[in-house]
């Protein structure tokens, strides 16, 4: 099993450009999450999904959109990138076996917005 | 609002020098406390989940403990390969069941040979 994979690993955008980050998991997990990690801020939840076709806002959703058309994939979109969105983005997934389940994280995407 | 504070921000140890990392938390009813390890340029890797005060879990040189207000990650006789950032996160009871985690900022551990 590959676990949680993220594409791309690195990306540089100019202000106003758009892009989509792809997260894929092969563990048949119901729950998927998108986080951003900034120095001194810890990991913050952007959006999450509790199953195929569902999405919901996390702590810092502004400027991002998500889609979960297939159970194994969770896409994070930036419609008009801003320098404040320069960050490292992590995707995570979790099984639905009850309440005590750890989240498994992908390797991250480092995004720079100029 | 749930809060997690980790200390120290950075810790430098000599190989074999045991120490502890602290994670203080405030949460409206703790459902679970999670410890993760993060290597540079990689995603967090799950270490432990603790559910109730008094609980302890061990893995190799690491031992995690939990009280009603804080958790400790004890590192016994560390080796250079234990160097990483250690993250603590809490999951609160109640509300939606989507498993929201609140993370601390992490402790950067460096173990010198």
């Amino acid at each position: 099993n590959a676990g949680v994979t993220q594409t791309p690993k690195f990306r540089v955008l100019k202000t106003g450009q758009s892009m989509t980050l792809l997260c894929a998991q092969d563990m048949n997990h119901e729950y998927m999450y998108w986080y951003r990690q900034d120095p001194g801020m810890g990991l913050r939840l952007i959006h999450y999904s509790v199953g195929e076709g569902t999405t919901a806002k996390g702590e810092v959703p502004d400027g991002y959109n998500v889609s979960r058309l297939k159970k194994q994939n969770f896409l994070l979109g930036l419609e008009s990138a801003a320098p404040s969105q320069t960050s490292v983005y992590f995707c995570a997934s979790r099984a639905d076996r009850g309440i005590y389940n750890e989240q498994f994280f992908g390797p991250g995407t480092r995004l720079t917005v100029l | 609002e749930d809060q997690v504070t980790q200390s120290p921000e950075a810790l430098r140890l000599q190989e074999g020098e045991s120490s502890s990392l602290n994670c203080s938390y405030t949460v409206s009813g703790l459902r679970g406390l999670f410890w993760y390890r993060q290597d540079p340029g990689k995603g967090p890797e799950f270490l432990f989940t603790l559910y109730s005060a008094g609980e302890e879990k061990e893995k190799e040189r690491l031992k995690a403990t939990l009280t009603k207000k804080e958790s400790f990650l004890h590192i016994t006789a560390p080796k250079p390969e234990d160097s990483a950032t250690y993250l603590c996160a809490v999951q609160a009871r109640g509300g939606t069941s989507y498993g929201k985690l609140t993370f601390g900022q992490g402790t950067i551990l460096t173990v010198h040979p």
Side-chain angles (χ1 to χ4, degrees):
Chain A
N1 288 350
V4 180
T5 58
Q6 294 183 232
T7 309
K9 289 185 168 55
F10 302 94
R11 185 70 185 268
V12 178
L13 291 178
K14 294 181 179 178
T15 297
Q17 289 185 318
S18 63
M19 78 163 294
T20 300
L21 283 67
L22 171 64
C23 175
Q25 53 93 5
D26 61 2
M27 297 174 283
N28 201 35
H29 285 172
E30 290 293 332
Y31 295 80
M32 296 187 75
Y33 309 84
W34 275 108
Y35 292 89
R36 60 179 289 173
Q37 186 175 41
D38 303 291
M41 299 291 291
L43 283 154
R44 292 181 292 167
L45 183 64
I46 304 172
H47 285 280
Y48 65 96
S49 169
V50 300
E52 181 179 315
T54 74
T55 63
K57 295 179 179 180
E59 302 171 67
V60 289
D62 294 342
Y64 305 96
N65 57 76
V66 288
S67 65
R68 184 112 180 257
L69 299 180
K70 294 183 178 180
K71 184 177 182 179
Q72 64 268 33
N73 295 336
F74 195 26
L75 279 64
L76 178 70
L78 286 73
E79 291 184 348
S80 180
S84 61
Q85 294 177 304
T86 293
S87 187
V88 181
Y89 293 85
F90 289 100
C91 176
S93 70
R94 179 174 77 92
D96 183 20
R97 297 190 308 268
I99 58 176
Y100 301 131
N101 304 317
E102 66 272 19
Q103 294 182 18
F104 293 87
F105 284 81
T109 294
R110 184 173 294 275
L111 175 65
T112 301
V113 183
L114 303 175
Chain B
E1 183 179 334
D2 304 333
Q3 287 190 325
V4 178
T5 302
Q6 292 187 245
S7 61
E9 290 185 10
L11 180 63
R12 297 189 177 199
L13 300 174
Q14 289 297 126
E15 185 171 1
E17 179 186 3
S18 301
S19 188
S20 297
L21 281 56
N22 178 264
C23 171
S24 297
Y25 64 90
T26 55
V27 65
S28 53
L30 181 69
R31 176 165 282 174
L33 185 140
F34 299 78
W35 281 99
Y36 284 85
R37 169 191 171 126
Q38 186 174 24
D39 292 305
K42 297 191 175 181
E45 176 186 347
F46 171 74
L47 291 173
F48 304 108
T49 309
L50 301 167
Y51 305 120
S52 58
E55 188 175 4
E56 299 181 351
K57 288 193 176 176
E58 291 187 62
K59 181 179 180 179
E60 296 181 355
R61 295 176 292 281
L62 300 177
K63 179 180 178 180
T65 62
L66 181 65
T67 72
K68 290 185 178 181
K69 294 183 178 181
E70 56 192 351
S71 177
F72 290 94
L73 185 64
H74 306 279
I75 303 175
T76 302
K79 297 182 178 181
E81 52 261 43
D82 294 322
S83 297
T85 296
Y86 290 85
L87 303 173
C88 174
V90 297
Q91 182 180 349
R93 292 184 184 277
T96 60
S97 61
Y98 65 88
K100 177 184 181 297
L101 295 180
T102 300
F103 281 86
Q105 288 141 329
T107 293
I108 302 171
L109 174 66
T110 305
V111 182
H112 296 283

